[in-house]
Amino acid sequence: MLAYGGDWNPEQWPEEIWSQDVRLMREAGVNRVSLGIFAWSKLEPAEGVYDFAWLDRCMDLLAENGIRANLATPTAAPPPWFAATYPQALPVDADGRVLTHGSRQSFCPSSPIYREKALAIAEKVATRYAGHEALALWHIHNEYGCHNSRCFCDTSAEAFRSWLCERYQSVDQVNQAWGSAFWSQLYSDWSQILPPRATPTFTNPAQQLDFRRFSSDALIELYRAERDLLAGITPGVPFSTNLMPGMHWEMDQFAFARELDVVSADHYLVGTDPEPHIHLAFSADLARSLNGGRPWLLMEHSTSGVNWQGHNRAKQPGEMIRNSAQHLARGADGIMFFQWRASAAGAEKWHSAMVPHAGTETKIWREVVELGALLHDNAAVEGSTVAADVAILMDYSSIWAQEHPAQPTTKHKPIDVIREWYGQLWKLGVTADVVHPSADLTGYQAVIVPALYSVNDHSQANLERFVEQGGVTLVGPYSGIVDEHDRVRLGGYPGAWRELLGITVEEFFPLDDDIRLTSGATGTVWSQLTHARGAKVLDSYVTGEPAWTRNVYGEGVAHSLTTLLTGDDLKHVIAEVCADAGVATSDHPGVEIVRRGHPDGSVHVFAINHTAEDVTVQGVGTVPAGRVVIAHQASAFPQEVAP
Ligand code: GAL
């Protein structure tokens, strides 16, 4: 059964609404809700004083109606009494400003007292509902680090030092890793080391990078503490927490995902994005990749507009169904929303929900019911997987390193570059995984490296081995430049992959204005003085230096770009790389075709028409404008499916 539902927040409503809620859930085919996420102050109104009676009734009501719960530990929103009693646990920003309670996630991730109180309420919830029929999954916390990913307080400073001590053993090793001889930063005692708080000018890049790693680890560690506690109380009940792939860049989600039984993900469209469905696809492909290709759970998206983008675009008729089908096509085994019933009060009252303020005679409710039927009718999709021929390499640490502001140019934005390259693959109809550079690359035909500024020796060799053994790669500019400590790999850029790419780069020349290449393509933001050392030049600057190169390496081929291309120019290069790799491409702007397969060879073909015209997809039939068709084939004949 595919999961279907949303965050149910009964604590916001009088009890008479609850039975109406459950009746409507049944009408829409809802079989799963996330419950109790922000209910700490209702469950523990004063320290050590508990009230579970209301949640008992909710859990029982769900069980009676055959609906199951992702039951939350409510630790993402400590109650006011917590901040009042333990002000030392409040988060502090880089400028030393204490952030108080009154919204959510107002706690320092390294605070021992926060951890103690969070574990105490988690234990109460777990012991209370162990064995309850409605309990399906632990929803631990909510979006770790969404608002408090980095805390700069004294407690965090101490925890940072312990983390460094474990990683480097000695202060000398820290000095070495951080290049502390620069600007007189050599430390002689652990106590001198601080988080990268506000400084007169740039902080040490390796220090800020390690602090971001530490901050990510601190949150994962908090999750682990709750998970291990719950595991002891409810063995066999799976765990999850909602990650934000493609949306939130503060946590190393590859590292986090390894700790989860069920990878679950949240995604929201960005209203200013002219092609938000492509960003959605990126997020979904990343969610699947975080789970090693196995099915995952869409924990949150929206039925229509959100409330946090300033100017919040509402979804057009049919858009929410297309969005949901995209997630499903890309490996989700459940579609859920924030939230079930639109709040009447509070900071999110203008966020859309499954039951809108206007009730059930609405576009939103009709689509909610329609989606429930679609998921019910396509229950056979559950458990099937998506096979991708292409991998995109992405590393959070590399992004963090490049986000230090002292760069040749800050206009080269790695996240934007990764999305742009992904977008062109999407337009070529190529389904891609988004994987960590150290991942096993066997099985992929092409590996695309849009922006990987920092790479360690292991990942450097991983890509080389992939190509040597017959793979095809395309590496973007400013990739393979520094090691994991943000230390330049010397001797000509890109130090990591000079041999692989058959080029050497003397100097970077960030562009003030776009430039024309010999082919007529337009380079933006970046250029560099590159010498071909064995690579063939496929395109060049008008001055003759290489802009696009192709190098035969071992049994494979390594392409590189020395400027940033976008749009059709980039699509052309990626199409050539796919052709080199034997990856089929098809130009069908706006019609998304993705397959999910079962081990027996049967396939579900998802055809999602984002255009305003009906299209005919071979092997699927007519896909009306703006609609979705899911075709089932007894065995895989992918060549029959082409628009
Ligand atoms: C998520 C969060 C939800 C809700 C939603 C609004 O980040 O988990 O609780 O705030 O955003 O879009």
Side-chain angles (χ1 to χ4, degrees):
M1 185 166 47
L2 296 166
Y4 184 42
D7 288 17
W8 185 36
N9 294 312
E11 68 275 18
Q12 296 177 13
W13 298 96
E15 200 156 338
E16 55 271 22
I17 298 287
W18 303 354
S19 43
Q20 193 194 107
D21 276 342
V22 173
R23 182 178 58 71
L24 289 175
M25 285 176 193
R26 293 181 58 139
E27 186 181 318
V30 164
N31 53 31
R32 187 75 71 87
V33 294
S34 301
L35 179 61
I37 297 176
F38 297 110
W40 191 348
S41 67
K42 184 93 174 164
L43 292 172
E44 190 180 0
E47 186 170 0
V49 177
Y50 297 99
D51 174 10
F52 279 97
W54 66 274
L55 190 54
D56 292 351
R57 293 197 290 284
C58 293
M59 286 290 280
D60 292 348
L61 192 59
L62 291 176
E64 284 155 21
N65 285 275
I67 300 166
R68 305 197 70 208
N70 305 328
L71 186 59
T73 61
T75 54
W81 61 254
F82 176 78
T85 318
Y86 307 106
Q88 71 274 27
L90 290 170
V92 174
D93 72 9
D95 296 329
R97 207 166 46 121
V98 179
L99 307 178
T100 188
H101 72 283
S103 63
R104 60 180 175 184
Q105 282 188 343
S106 36
F107 65 88
C108 158
S110 300
S111 160
I113 190 71
Y114 166 75
R115 179 190 287 229
E116 185 189 318
K117 298 298 160 191
L119 291 180
I121 186 69
E123 182 174 9
K124 287 279 176 198
V125 175
T127 41
R128 186 100 185 172
Y129 300 105
H132 197 289
E133 204 185 322
L135 175 61
L137 174 76
W138 284 118
H139 183 299
I140 298 182
H141 199 86
N142 188 71
E143 290 187 343
Y144 275 94
C146 182
H147 314 294
N148 63 345
S149 57
R150 279 177 267 169
C151 175
F152 296 78
C153 73
D154 288 343
T155 307
S156 296
E158 196 52 53
F160 182 39
R161 289 190 280 266
S162 303
W163 183 92
L164 289 168
C165 189
E166 201 159 302
R167 192 176 172 97
Y168 296 109
Q169 280 86 48
S170 73
V171 173
D172 282 351
Q173 295 288 342
V174 175
N175 284 329
Q176 180 60 28
W178 288 6
S180 306
F182 181 80
W183 278 355
S184 183
Q185 292 168 3
L186 288 168
Y187 296 97
S188 55
D189 188 84
W190 286 108
S191 61
Q192 298 155 2
I193 299 180
L194 296 174
R197 294 174 176 158
T199 44
T201 182
F202 300 125
T203 52
N204 180 313
Q207 176 193 11
Q208 74 90 26
L209 175 57
D210 269 347
F211 188 66
R212 293 188 75 167
R213 290 182 173 126
F214 152 77
S215 300
S216 174
D217 284 358
L219 288 160
I220 296 174
E221 179 47 35
L222 261 187
Y223 162 84
R224 269 204 223 104
E226 283 201 35
R227 179 200 62 190
D228 294 350
L229 173 89
L230 298 177
I233 302 170
T234 58
V237 177
F239 307 99
S240 193
T241 188
N242 41 349
L243 304 177
M244 296 163 273
M247 300 281 302
H248 187 257
W249 301 90
E250 293 295 329
M251 311 266 327
D252 183 339
Q253 301 195 14
F254 290 112
F256 211 148
R258 286 197 289 273
E259 306 288 334
L260 308 178
D261 282 341
V262 175
V263 165
S264 67
D266 298 349
H267 183 264
Y268 291 95
L269 301 185
V270 173
T272 50
D273 183 345
E275 295 172 316
H277 52 282
I278 300 183
H279 183 257
L280 183 160
F282 173 75
S283 165
D285 282 348
L286 176 53
R288 179 186 68 249
S289 306
L290 291 175
N291 206 23
R294 291 177 295 279
W296 52 282
L297 176 63
L298 179 70
M299 192 65 94
E300 288 180 21
H301 70 151
S302 66
T303 55
S304 189
V306 298
N307 66 321
W308 45 266
Q309 293 176 9
H311 183 73
N312 296 290
R313 188 178 70 81
K315 291 189 182 176
Q316 293 298 312
E319 191 175 357
M320 178 278 266
I321 303 272
R322 290 198 300 280
N323 294 165
S324 302
Q326 285 186 276
H327 287 294
L328 194 65
R330 292 175 186 276
D333 264 3
I335 304 293
M336 303 191 62
F337 292 90
F338 175 83
Q339 59 178 331
W340 163 252
R341 184 181 281 278
S343 306
E348 295 190 313
K349 61 183 175 298
W350 299 120
H351 195 290
S352 60
M354 298 172 82
V355 183
H357 292 149
T360 52
E361 293 300 318
T362 51
K363 166 202 111 190
I364 288 181
W365 179 253
R366 281 188 290 277
E367 291 196 359
V368 163
V369 173
E370 182 184 336
L371 178 59
L374 182 147
L375 295 173
H376 179 265
D377 294 348
N378 289 281
V381 164
E382 188 184 2
S384 58
T385 53
V386 179
D389 295 331
V390 175
I392 295 178
L393 300 191
M394 190 180 90
D395 178 20
Y396 289 89
S397 271
S398 175
I399 291 169
W400 298 339
Q402 199 181 334
E403 280 177 352
H404 188 280
Q407 302 292 336
T409 170
T410 51
K411 292 184 183 167
H412 178 312
K413 297 189 185 308
I415 296 170
D416 293 354
V417 173
I418 292 166
R419 281 183 186 156
E420 174 67 20
W421 287 42
Y422 175 89
Q424 299 312 324
L425 278 167
W426 188 94
K427 288 180 180 170
L428 288 164
V430 176
T431 305
D433 287 343
V434 184
V435 303
H436 189 270
S438 64
D440 180 4
L441 302 176
T442 48
Y444 294 114
Q445 287 166 255
V447 170
I448 306 288
V449 189
L452 195 64
Y453 164 68
S454 149
V455 67
N456 66 18
D457 292 350
H458 174 79
S459 299
Q460 167 195 21
N462 196 34
L463 184 65
E464 276 175 352
R465 197 175 325 111
F466 169 75
V467 179
E468 199 165 23
Q469 294 172 355
V472 174
T473 192
L474 168 64
V475 178
Y478 210 41
S479 293
I481 304 299
V482 299
D483 69 7
E484 69 272 34
H485 302 300
D486 201 7
R487 179 176 287 268
V488 177
R489 292 176 174 274
L490 302 173
Y493 318 118
W497 290 316
R498 275 191 307 264
E499 298 290 313
L500 171 69
L501 302 177
I503 60 167
T504 180
V505 179
E506 247 182 75
E507 192 175 347
F508 304 133
F509 286 86
L511 295 170
D512 293 331
D513 301 309
D514 292 352
I515 43 160
R516 265 292 156 109
L517 305 183
T518 337
S519 64
T522 305
T524 64
V525 175
W526 190 271
S527 72
Q528 55 193 36
L529 179 53
T530 306
H531 304 284
R533 297 268 190 263
K536 191 172 156 197
V537 178
L538 301 183
D539 200 355
S540 54
Y541 303 110
V542 284
T543 47
E545 282 108 30
W548 172 16
T549 60
R550 181 183 188 276
N551 191 43
V552 175
Y553 184 84
E555 304 285 305
V557 172
H559 289 254
S560 79
L561 283 173
T562 74
T563 181
L564 290 177
L565 301 182
T566 57
D568 285 347
D569 295 337
L570 179 61
K571 188 161 82 173
H572 170 70
V573 171
I574 292 179
E576 290 297 312
V577 170
C578 286
D580 249 344
V583 173
T585 57
S586 59
D587 221 331
H588 52 78
V591 183
E592 187 170 350
I593 296 167
V594 189
R595 296 170 189 81
R596 285 184 67 162
H598 293 278
D600 67 1
S602 64
V603 172
H604 309 276
V605 185
F606 290 75
I608 303 158
N609 185 352
H610 298 281
T611 77
E613 310 288 327
D614 295 359
V615 287
T616 303
V617 175
Q618 231 188 332
V620 173
T622 302
V623 188
R627 305 293 297 176
V628 175
V629 175
I630 307 171
H632 300 253
Q633 296 180 344
S635 62
F637 298 112
Q639 69 279 15
E640 284 190 5
V641 182

